[in-house]
Amino acid sequence: QVRLLESGGGLVQAGGSLRLSCVASGFSFSSNAMGWYRQAPGKQRELVAAVSSSGSSNYVDSVKGRFTISRDNDKNTVYLQMNSLKPEDTAVYYCNAPNRKLAGIDDDYWGQGTQVTVSS
């Protein structure tokens, strides 16, 4: 059974930092790319960062230079270090595999997410 457990969110002032963690189980974590997504109120969920199975990463323009995604395959965990946070980063953050079909994850499966709130 696939499980994705996100943690590390919270309330932070603009300019602050947070580190999110996501522990995965139930699929071959080390063989799959992983990503961090976010969904702000009234907006669609978007992929903000992804890391390949080999560790290469890419980011949406709005977070480049501020966010860093990494993974620890021994711990089945993916991280998102978020620095220089802005109020527009406020959202619920989720992790998942960008290619859920390849990973064997149901297309509609998401963890509970972790709330990030950035005050101005």
Side-chain angles (χ1 to χ4, degrees), residues 16-75:
S17 298
L18 285 172
R19 189 192 193 207
L20 307 184
S21 299
C22 170
V23 180
S25 61
F27 66 102
S28 181
F29 177 84
S30 62
S31 299
N32 285 278
M34 291 297 296
W36 279 97
Y37 300 74
R38 68 185 179 189
Q39 187 167 22
K43 295 188 177 181
Q44 287 190 331
R45 189 175 287 152
E46 64 169 342
L47 177 64
V48 297
V51 59
S52 72
S53 56
S54 61
S56 61
S57 57
N58 55 78
Y59 304 88
V60 68
D61 285 347
S62 59
V63 308
K64 280 181 181 176
R66 300 188 298 122
F67 289 11
T68 302
I69 188 171
S70 61
R71 65 190 298 159
D72 184 336
N73 289 336
D74 290 336
K75 296 181 179 180

Side-chain angles (χ1 to χ4, degrees), residues 1-14:
Q1 181 181 3
V2 173
R3 287 197 67 190
L4 298 167
L5 184 60
E6 301 94 345
S7 63
L11 173 63
V12 64
Q13 288 188 331

